[in-house]
Amino acid sequence: MIPSQNETRISDHEFERLRDIMRDHCGVMIIDGMRLAVDRRLQQRLENFKLPFGLYLDELARSERERDHVADLLTTNETYFFREQYQLDTFKNQVLPTLARDNATRKRLSIWSAGCSSGEEVYTLAMLVDETRLFQDWSVRLLGSDISRSVISQAREAVYGRSSFRTMPKQYEKYFLRSDDETRQVKPEITERCTFALHNLLKPDATAMVGLLDVIFCRNVLIYFDAPAKTQVLKVLYDHLTPGGYLFLGHSESLLNIDTPLETVRHENDIFYRRPR
Ligand SMILES: C[S@@+](CC[C@H](N)C(=O)[O-])C[C@H]1O[C@@H](n2cnc3c(N)ncnc32)[C@H](O)[C@@H]1O
Protein backbone atom coordinates (compact mmCIF):
# COMPACT_ATOMS: atom_id res chain seq x y z
CA MET A 1 0.00 0.00 0.00
CA ILE A 2 1.32 3.46 -0.88
CA PRO A 3 1.20 5.75 2.19
CA SER A 4 -0.50 9.15 1.90
CA GLN A 5 1.46 12.46 2.06
CA ASN A 6 1.68 12.47 5.86
CA GLU A 7 1.94 8.76 6.60
CA THR A 8 4.99 6.56 6.85
CA ARG A 9 5.36 2.84 6.23
CA ILE A 10 8.27 2.63 8.73
CA SER A 11 7.36 1.23 12.16
CA ASP A 12 9.03 2.47 15.38
CA HIS A 13 11.13 -0.66 15.59
CA GLU A 14 12.25 -0.42 11.95
CA PHE A 15 13.11 3.25 12.33
CA GLU A 16 15.29 2.44 15.37
CA ARG A 17 17.03 -0.32 13.44
CA LEU A 18 17.68 1.91 10.42
CA ARG A 19 19.05 4.54 12.76
CA ASP A 20 21.46 2.08 14.40
CA ILE A 21 22.68 0.63 11.11
CA MET A 22 23.38 4.04 9.59
CA ARG A 23 24.91 5.55 12.72
CA ASP A 24 27.37 2.65 12.94
CA HIS A 25 28.09 2.88 9.25
CA CYS A 26 28.72 6.59 8.75
CA GLY A 27 28.07 8.40 12.04
CA VAL A 28 25.08 10.27 10.68
CA MET A 29 22.27 10.76 13.17
CA ILE A 30 18.76 10.25 11.91
CA ILE A 31 16.54 12.14 14.31
CA ASP A 32 12.88 11.41 15.13
CA GLY A 33 11.48 14.27 13.06
CA MET A 34 13.10 12.82 9.93
CA ARG A 35 10.97 9.70 9.64
CA LEU A 36 8.72 10.97 6.87
CA ALA A 37 11.63 12.44 4.92
CA VAL A 38 13.59 9.19 5.28
CA ASP A 39 10.60 7.24 4.00
CA ARG A 40 10.39 9.49 0.91
CA ARG A 41 14.12 9.35 0.22
CA LEU A 42 14.23 5.53 0.46
CA GLN A 43 11.12 4.97 -1.65
CA GLN A 44 13.06 4.35 -4.88
CA ARG A 45 15.36 1.82 -3.14
CA LEU A 46 12.37 -0.15 -1.87
CA GLU A 47 10.87 -0.17 -5.36
CA ASN A 48 14.17 -1.37 -6.84
CA PHE A 49 14.52 -4.20 -4.31
CA LYS A 50 10.77 -4.99 -4.31
CA LEU A 51 10.99 -5.66 -0.58
CA PRO A 52 8.94 -4.57 2.41
CA PHE A 53 10.85 -2.23 4.70
CA GLY A 54 11.75 -4.92 7.29
CA LEU A 55 13.39 -7.18 4.71
CA TYR A 56 15.08 -4.22 3.03
CA LEU A 57 16.74 -3.50 6.40
CA ASP A 58 18.19 -7.05 6.42
CA GLU A 59 19.70 -6.29 3.02
CA LEU A 60 21.02 -2.96 4.32
CA ALA A 61 22.66 -4.68 7.30
CA ARG A 62 24.31 -7.20 4.92
CA SER A 63 25.55 -4.89 2.16
CA GLU A 64 28.13 -2.16 2.68
CA ARG A 65 27.47 -0.89 -0.84
CA GLU A 66 23.78 -0.43 -0.04
CA ARG A 67 24.69 1.38 3.19
CA ASP A 68 26.91 3.74 1.17
CA HIS A 69 24.01 4.31 -1.17
CA VAL A 70 21.64 5.14 1.69
CA ALA A 71 24.25 7.40 3.31
CA ASP A 72 24.28 9.28 0.02
CA LEU A 73 20.48 9.63 0.09
CA LEU A 74 20.32 10.73 3.71
CA THR A 75 23.19 13.18 3.97
CA THR A 76 23.21 16.84 2.94
CA ASN A 77 25.72 17.70 0.24
CA GLU A 78 25.19 21.46 0.32
CA THR A 79 28.42 23.29 -0.51
CA TYR A 80 29.69 26.21 -2.62
CA PHE A 81 32.86 28.09 -3.49
CA PHE A 82 34.29 30.44 -0.84
CA ARG A 83 31.97 29.27 1.93
CA GLU A 84 32.62 31.11 5.24
CA GLN A 85 34.95 33.82 3.99
CA TYR A 86 36.23 34.72 7.50
CA GLN A 87 37.71 31.22 7.94
CA LEU A 88 39.25 31.34 4.49
CA ASP A 89 40.81 34.72 5.33
CA THR A 90 42.43 33.14 8.40
CA PHE A 91 43.65 30.24 6.29
CA LYS A 92 45.10 32.52 3.58
CA ASN A 93 46.50 35.35 5.69
CA GLN A 94 47.55 33.54 8.85
CA VAL A 95 47.99 29.80 8.29
CA LEU A 96 49.51 29.70 4.80
CA PRO A 97 52.28 32.28 5.48
CA THR A 98 53.19 30.38 8.69
CA LEU A 99 53.38 27.09 6.79
CA ALA A 100 55.43 28.73 4.01
CA ARG A 101 57.96 29.68 6.70
CA ASP A 102 57.85 26.42 8.69
CA ASN A 103 58.05 24.09 5.67
CA ALA A 104 60.52 26.22 3.68
CA THR A 105 63.20 23.51 3.69
CA ARG A 106 61.11 20.61 2.47
CA LYS A 107 58.83 22.73 0.25
CA ARG A 108 55.84 20.45 0.64
CA LEU A 109 52.28 21.43 1.48
CA SER A 110 49.42 18.98 1.95
CA ILE A 111 45.78 19.77 2.64
CA TRP A 112 42.77 17.48 3.14
CA SER A 113 39.13 18.44 2.83
CA ALA A 114 37.35 15.59 4.62
CA GLY A 115 33.66 15.46 3.63
CA CYS A 116 34.31 17.72 0.63
CA SER A 117 31.00 17.03 -1.15
CA SER A 118 31.21 18.04 -4.84
CA GLY A 119 34.67 19.62 -4.51
CA GLU A 120 34.05 23.38 -4.32
CA GLU A 121 35.87 23.53 -0.95
CA VAL A 122 38.96 21.76 -2.30
CA TYR A 123 39.23 24.00 -5.36
CA THR A 124 38.63 27.09 -3.21
CA LEU A 125 41.58 26.10 -1.00
CA ALA A 126 43.75 25.44 -4.07
CA MET A 127 42.90 28.91 -5.44
CA LEU A 128 43.78 30.53 -2.12
CA VAL A 129 47.12 28.69 -2.04
CA ASP A 130 47.79 29.97 -5.55
CA GLU A 131 46.77 33.53 -4.69
CA THR A 132 49.41 33.79 -1.95
CA ARG A 133 52.20 33.17 -4.52
CA LEU A 134 54.16 31.60 -1.64
CA PHE A 135 54.19 28.02 -2.96
CA GLN A 136 55.14 28.41 -6.64
CA ASP A 137 57.92 25.81 -6.80
CA TRP A 138 56.57 23.59 -4.02
CA SER A 139 54.97 20.18 -4.11
CA VAL A 140 51.36 21.07 -3.26
CA ARG A 141 48.83 18.27 -2.75
CA LEU A 142 45.14 18.76 -2.01
CA LEU A 143 42.94 15.76 -1.28
CA GLY A 144 39.15 15.82 -1.16
CA SER A 145 37.22 12.85 0.17
CA ASP A 146 33.60 11.99 0.76
CA ILE A 147 31.44 8.97 1.48
CA SER A 148 29.20 9.76 -1.50
CA ARG A 149 30.12 8.31 -4.89
CA SER A 150 27.99 10.81 -6.82
CA VAL A 151 29.57 13.94 -5.29
CA ILE A 152 33.09 12.57 -5.78
CA SER A 153 32.44 12.08 -9.47
CA GLN A 154 31.09 15.66 -9.74
CA ALA A 155 34.22 16.89 -7.95
CA ARG A 156 36.42 15.10 -10.48
CA GLU A 157 34.51 16.68 -13.37
CA ALA A 158 35.05 20.16 -11.87
CA VAL A 159 32.11 21.69 -13.76
CA TYR A 160 29.77 23.88 -11.71
CA GLY A 161 26.49 25.70 -12.08
CA ARG A 162 25.37 29.09 -10.84
CA SER A 163 24.51 28.15 -7.24
CA SER A 164 28.09 27.06 -6.55
CA PHE A 165 29.25 30.64 -7.14
CA ARG A 166 26.81 32.45 -4.86
CA THR A 167 29.54 33.87 -2.58
CA MET A 168 32.63 33.80 -4.81
CA PRO A 169 34.48 37.13 -5.01
CA LYS A 170 34.93 38.31 -8.63
CA GLN A 171 38.73 38.21 -8.46
CA TYR A 172 38.63 34.37 -8.55
CA GLU A 173 36.80 34.13 -11.89
CA LYS A 174 40.23 33.92 -13.56
CA TYR A 175 40.51 30.32 -12.28
CA PHE A 176 37.55 29.15 -14.42
CA LEU A 177 36.86 28.43 -18.05
CA ARG A 178 33.36 29.51 -19.01
CA SER A 179 31.66 26.46 -20.56
CA ASP A 180 28.38 28.24 -21.36
CA ASP A 181 26.13 30.84 -19.72
CA GLU A 182 25.24 28.50 -16.90
CA THR A 183 28.37 26.48 -16.14
CA ARG A 184 32.07 27.00 -15.59
CA GLN A 185 34.95 24.58 -15.38
CA VAL A 186 37.89 24.88 -13.01
CA LYS A 187 41.14 25.44 -14.94
CA PRO A 188 43.73 22.64 -15.14
CA GLU A 189 46.35 24.71 -13.24
CA ILE A 190 44.06 24.23 -10.20
CA THR A 191 42.59 20.76 -10.84
CA GLU A 192 46.02 19.19 -11.38
CA ARG A 193 46.92 19.81 -7.72
CA CYS A 194 43.67 18.19 -6.46
CA THR A 195 42.74 14.53 -6.14
CA PHE A 196 39.49 13.00 -4.90
CA ALA A 197 38.74 9.76 -3.11
CA LEU A 198 35.71 7.86 -1.92
CA HIS A 199 36.23 7.58 1.81
CA ASN A 200 34.16 6.94 4.93
CA LEU A 201 35.55 8.85 7.92
CA LEU A 202 34.29 6.14 10.27
CA LYS A 203 36.32 3.39 8.56
CA PRO A 204 39.81 3.88 9.99
CA ASP A 205 41.47 1.31 7.68
CA ALA A 206 40.52 3.36 4.67
CA THR A 207 42.27 6.41 6.12
CA ALA A 208 45.73 4.86 5.83
CA MET A 209 45.98 6.15 2.22
CA VAL A 210 45.63 9.75 3.37
CA GLY A 211 49.07 10.19 5.02
CA LEU A 212 50.07 13.17 7.17
CA LEU A 213 48.62 16.60 6.40
CA ASP A 214 49.52 20.19 7.25
CA VAL A 215 45.90 21.37 7.22
CA ILE A 216 42.57 19.57 7.44
CA PHE A 217 39.21 21.14 6.69
CA CYS A 218 36.29 19.08 7.97
CA ARG A 219 33.47 21.59 7.80
CA ASN A 220 29.76 20.95 8.14
CA VAL A 221 30.25 17.19 8.43
CA LEU A 222 30.41 16.48 12.19
CA ILE A 223 27.26 18.52 12.73
CA TYR A 224 25.27 15.42 11.67
CA PHE A 225 27.18 13.02 13.97
CA ASP A 226 26.45 11.93 17.54
CA ALA A 227 29.12 12.41 20.26
CA PRO A 228 30.81 8.95 20.01
CA ALA A 229 31.07 9.23 16.20
CA LYS A 230 32.43 12.80 16.51
CA THR A 231 35.07 11.63 18.99
CA GLN A 232 36.05 8.77 16.69
CA VAL A 233 36.40 11.03 13.64
CA LEU A 234 38.34 13.69 15.56
CA LYS A 235 40.83 11.03 16.61
CA VAL A 236 41.28 10.06 12.95
CA LEU A 237 41.78 13.71 11.97
CA TYR A 238 44.22 14.26 14.84
CA ASP A 239 46.27 11.21 13.83
CA HIS A 240 46.53 12.58 10.29
CA LEU A 241 47.78 16.02 11.24
CA THR A 242 51.50 16.74 11.34
CA PRO A 243 52.56 18.04 14.78
CA GLY A 244 51.61 21.74 14.70
CA GLY A 245 49.09 21.04 11.89
CA TYR A 246 45.78 22.92 11.61
CA LEU A 247 42.16 21.75 11.74
CA PHE A 248 39.20 23.86 10.60
CA LEU A 249 35.65 22.82 11.52
CA GLY A 250 32.40 24.43 10.37
CA HIS A 251 31.31 27.64 12.11
CA SER A 252 28.56 25.89 14.11
CA GLU A 253 30.77 22.94 15.11
CA SER A 254 32.99 22.90 18.17
CA LEU A 255 35.03 20.55 20.33
CA LEU A 256 32.90 21.36 23.35
CA ASN A 257 32.40 18.19 25.47
CA ILE A 258 34.72 16.18 23.20
CA ASP A 259 37.76 14.56 24.75
CA THR A 260 40.63 15.49 22.39
CA PRO A 261 44.24 16.66 22.72
CA LEU A 262 43.71 19.27 19.95
CA GLU A 263 44.53 22.84 21.04
CA THR A 264 42.01 25.61 20.45
CA VAL A 265 43.38 28.75 18.81
CA ARG A 266 41.34 31.97 18.78
CA HIS A 267 42.25 34.34 15.97
CA GLU A 268 40.27 37.56 15.44
CA ASN A 269 36.68 36.35 14.74
CA ASP A 270 37.71 32.78 14.15
CA ILE A 271 38.51 29.60 16.06
CA PHE A 272 40.63 26.80 14.68
CA TYR A 273 42.47 23.85 16.19
CA ARG A 274 46.04 22.59 16.19
CA ARG A 275 47.81 19.36 16.96
CA PRO A 276 50.38 20.24 19.64
CA ARG A 277 54.00 20.15 18.43
C1 LIG B 1 27.19 19.59 4.08
S1 LIG B 1 28.44 18.74 3.19
C2 LIG B 1 29.85 19.76 3.57
C3 LIG B 1 30.72 20.02 2.36
C4 LIG B 1 31.89 20.98 2.62
N1 LIG B 1 32.78 20.46 3.61
C5 LIG B 1 31.39 22.36 3.01
O1 LIG B 1 31.47 22.71 4.19
O2 LIG B 1 30.92 23.10 2.15
C6 LIG B 1 28.71 17.30 4.23
C7 LIG B 1 29.39 16.15 3.49
O3 LIG B 1 29.84 15.18 4.46
C8 LIG B 1 29.75 13.91 3.83
N2 LIG B 1 29.77 12.84 4.87
C9 LIG B 1 28.80 12.52 5.76
N3 LIG B 1 29.18 11.47 6.50
C10 LIG B 1 30.42 11.11 6.08
C11 LIG B 1 31.34 10.09 6.46
N4 LIG B 1 31.06 9.21 7.43
N5 LIG B 1 32.52 10.02 5.80
C12 LIG B 1 32.82 10.91 4.81
N6 LIG B 1 31.98 11.89 4.40
C13 LIG B 1 30.79 11.99 5.03
C14 LIG B 1 28.43 14.00 3.07
O4 LIG B 1 28.35 13.02 2.04
C15 LIG B 1 28.45 15.43 2.56
O5 LIG B 1 28.94 15.51 1.23
Side-chain angles (χ1 to χ4, degrees):
M1 190 175 71
I2 299 177
S4 77
Q5 271 315 53
N6 300 315
E7 286 175 341
T8 163
R9 76 198 97 195
I10 309 176
S11 70
D12 289 352
H13 169 72
E14 288 166 343
F15 191 64
E16 279 295 313
R17 189 162 173 230
L18 173 71
R19 231 162 34 178
D20 290 348
I21 293 172
M22 293 312 295
R23 192 187 47 229
D24 291 350
H25 177 61
C26 64
V28 170
M29 279 187 297
I30 305 174
I31 53 173
D32 274 335
M34 289 170 68
R35 192 186 304 205
L36 205 59
V38 166
D39 191 335
R40 296 286 171 272
R41 290 193 197 184
L42 294 187
Q43 192 161 337
Q44 190 61 52
R45 298 313 289 167
L46 292 172
E47 282 167 20
N48 290 356
F49 279 88
K50 297 190 177 27
L51 289 175
F53 201 77
L55 291 180
Y56 172 72
L57 287 178
D58 292 342
E59 176 60 26
L60 192 65
R62 245 193 320 269
S63 159
E64 177 156 5
R65 201 179 166 81
E66 186 57 21
R67 290 196 294 279
D68 279 343
H69 201 102
V70 171
D72 207 354
L73 293 173
L74 298 185
T75 52
T76 305
N77 302 120
E78 162 87 350
T79 188
Y80 43 92
F81 288 102
F82 292 85
R83 187 174 193 176
E84 310 298 355
Q85 187 68 50
Y86 70 96
Q87 284 192 316
L88 301 173
D89 288 344
T90 305
F91 169 70
K92 178 168 170 250
N93 301 328
Q94 177 77 17
V95 171
L96 287 178
T98 307
L99 285 169
R101 233 181 12 248
D102 292 353
N103 294 0
T105 320
R106 58 188 184 102
K107 292 196 168 199
R108 271 212 303 269
L109 177 69
S110 51
I111 299 168
W112 179 21
S113 160
C116 68
S117 189
S118 38
E120 288 92 325
E121 183 170 79
V122 183
Y123 294 131
T124 298
L125 300 176
M127 290 173 209
L128 291 169
V129 169
D130 191 70
E131 282 289 296
T132 64
R133 302 275 161 219
L134 293 171
F135 305 92
Q136 303 287 55
D137 55 344
W138 287 44
S139 153
V140 176
R141 182 174 74 104
L142 290 104
L143 170 70
S145 68
D146 202 283
I147 195 172
S148 157
R149 196 173 291 274
S150 59
V151 293
I152 286 298
S153 70
Q154 283 174 45
R156 289 181 177 137
E157 272 181 32
V159 176
Y160 297 97
R162 232 171 245 237
S163 72
S164 293
F165 298 101
R166 65 189 93 151
T167 62
M168 189 175 82
K170 270 209 163 335
Q171 73 188 91
Y172 294 96
E173 281 176 12
K174 64 184 178 206
Y175 290 108
F176 293 87
L177 303 166
R178 188 175 282 276
S179 309
D180 55 46
D181 279 354
E182 295 296 320
T183 60
R184 293 182 213 172
Q185 178 155 30
V186 184
K187 282 187 176 169
E189 67 199 67
I190 294 297
T191 55
E192 66 196 13
R193 288 180 155 181
C194 305
T195 51
F196 293 93
L198 201 57
H199 175 257
N200 180 350
L201 282 162
L202 278 195
K203 296 278 177 289
D205 298 354
T207 316
M209 53 102 185
V210 174
L212 278 184
L213 291 303
D214 299 304
V215 188
I216 300 177
F217 276 73
C218 185
R219 300 192 301 170
N220 308 302
V221 179
L222 298 181
I223 195 172
Y224 305 107
F225 289 16
D226 65 7
K230 252 186 219 170
T231 306
Q232 189 179 333
V233 171
L234 283 164
K235 168 143 185 21
V236 168
L237 301 181
Y238 179 89
D239 289 344
H240 283 275
L241 276 177
T242 51
Y246 300 81
L247 171 67
F248 285 86
L249 300 178
H251 75 283
S252 55
E253 296 161 321
S254 81
L255 299 187
L256 217 66
N257 303 326
I258 302 282
D259 183 20
T260 168
L262 283 158
E263 288 171 353
T264 302
V265 182
R266 283 165 217 283
H267 175 73
E268 294 175 2
N269 297 329
D270 198 8
I271 291 182
F272 57 86
Y273 305 93
R274 290 191 81 174
R275 178 174 173 155
R277 280 185 189 279

